[in-house]
Amino acid sequence: MRDPRFTTNPQRVANREILNPLLNARFLEGSRAQWIDVLTEAGVPCGSVRSVAEALEDPQIHARNMVVEAEHAILGAMRVV
């Protein structure tokens, strides 16, 4: 799409109320992995925005022991960051 309202970053910021719904609708057309592939191929820096649950399941989190089990006086054993 070549819309002059979005040519420069200041224009995108000024027109974000128009741009955001357009982008949201377009991003719903593919999966997160598909968009990362497309954007990476186009040279656009990007990455996955994860949910808290997804982030806590990352292998690096486990390798660094960033989630541990702790004993709570009332609740008992619980996992904490």
Side-chain angles (χ1 to χ4, degrees), residues 32 48-69 78-81:
R32 178 180 5 183
S48 180
V49 177
R50 300 180 190 183
S51 68
V52 171
E54 289 172 326
L56 291 176
E57 290 306 317
D58 186 286
Q60 187 67 17
I61 296 294
H62 294 283
R64 296 186 67 201
N65 294 317
M66 294 178 72
V67 177
V68 297
E69 192 166 293
M78 56 190 299
R79 291 178 59 196
V80 296
V81 176

Side-chain angles (χ1 to χ4, degrees), residues 28-47:
L28 289 173
E29 295 174 6
S31 70
R32 178 180 5 183
Q34 289 170 320
W35 281 113
I36 289 174
D37 288 345
V38 167
L39 293 169
T40 300
E41 178 70 23
V44 177
C46 63

Side-chain angles (χ1 to χ4, degrees), residues 9-25:
N9 190 55
Q11 289 169 313
R12 288 188 291 274
V13 170
N15 292 297
R16 71 176 166 240
E17 285 149 14
I18 299 165
L19 181 59
N20 284 346
L22 295 172
L23 289 173
N24 289 336

